[in-house]
Amino acid sequence: MNNRNIELLLGDYRKAIVKLSIPNMISMFVQTIYNLVDAIWVAGLGAVTLAAMGFFFPIFMIVVSIATGITVGTSSAISRKIGEKDYEGANSVAEHSILLSLIVSLFTVLIGITTLIPVLKGIGASGEALQKAYDYGFIIFLFTPFLMFNNTAVGILRGEGDSKRPMYAVTFSSILNIFLDPIFIYTFKLGIKGAAWATGISIISATVIFIYYLFFSDKTFLKVSLKKFRYNGKYLRDISIVGFPTALAQIAMSIAIYVLNRFAVKAGGDVGVATFTGAWRIINLGTLTIIGISSAVTPVTGAAYGARNVKRIEDALSYAIKFAELFSLTIMLGIFIFSKQLAFLFAYSKASSQLLENISQALKILCLFLPGTPLGMLTSGMFQGIGQGFKSLVATILRTIIFQLFWTWLFVDVIKIGLAGVWWGIVIGNASASLVTYTWGKLSIQKLYEEFQE
């Protein structure tokens, strides 16, 4: 089993992309369904409660961004070590990443809890929505160390070419959360606090599984043992050169959502934020599928880079983009055709019925976001794989901070077309930035050919 994972990572790139992507996509799909169901249960409490969840969402995404940075940095560093056949170094990278995640998570909890109220007010939360957002966010922050450890474990396993075990843990955790939500929200009458406790318990369930995989199972290639840990700053640098820019890139996305929430508030008040919250969770059915493929591109191109095989990097990226487009186009059509039915998921109660038409119209525009996404997202995955995380950061800033916010500002503040301006700004900004990123990626690959020939 162990050797098959390594052989897969270093073998046929097409087989590697598909076999690593499918478990990743299943994990992402299940997580998205959980996020969707979570919001659906909360929507039954009314538009104000759903808006409260929406207000906390960009803050939570910053936490996830930091965790994702360590995850991707770990996966990239381990796969590059495996490409170089430095298996002892790969093992040490895994150990350094675990300790790094625990230290960072403690700082995140301290800062997050102490700044939660002013940040929520800065987004535009007030009154009942502010209190509910705080109640939800405070509980979620308590489980941050477990969340970061889980993400780090995912990076370790994916780095060694194993995407099935992360899928098992994530799927179990997400399904557990889906079942716990109605119990804590309605049976125990905890409201939005119940949604937070259900999420926290499911996170801990995944932690238990990952601890078993990393420290007790004999089925993994890398053998993690903190008893033998020896600090080496080089391994932290290997993680950080990709992980730090990735975290900043993810934070840039969170900042963009923060600002987009402000535009949604300006254009539609609490209903605008609730519309954005509901519609964006459905769109994530498409984007998270692409992220699943991108998380396969990173270790495959990382191993190829370690082996100095530029042709494999180029071919893997091209194949992955074609593979991703099949899913993107299919999901786009499904969302467009069934926009009303999907919107009803957030408008099934009397308290939230006003959201039906708004979310349906948002989905018909936002689904156009999907086909252009693979060009940019998978190219960023390639940048991360070859250790050029800064380029991935710049590409994300171009897409989220510069292009998307510019077009949204133009449509909402200048042309003044209301909430539709937010949706069109996201779509046009993403498409233009993806083309720029893909072009940059092709030029970077050509430069690698020149460097490795020297």
Side-chain angles (χ1 to χ4, degrees), residues 348-362:
Y348 61 89
S349 71
K350 183 177 180 180
S352 58
S353 59
Q354 60 182 314
L355 299 176
L356 180 63
E357 194 59 36
N358 281 344
I359 294 179
S360 176
Q361 291 301 316

Side-chain angles (χ1 to χ4, degrees), residues 115-169:
T115 62
L116 186 54
I117 286 289
V119 172
L120 286 170
K121 287 182 178 178
I123 298 174
S126 61
E128 185 182 0
L130 171 62
Q131 184 59 51
K132 288 185 175 182
Y134 176 79
D135 291 341
Y136 180 80
F138 182 87
I139 296 169
I140 292 296
F141 268 119
L142 297 179
F143 294 95
T144 295
F146 303 99
L147 175 68
M148 289 199 177
F149 173 81
N150 294 351
N151 277 267
T152 302
V154 168
I156 292 170
L157 293 169
R158 286 178 178 169
E160 68 171 52
D162 185 352
S163 58
K164 288 185 179 179
R165 286 182 178 82
M167 176 190 70
Y168 298 147

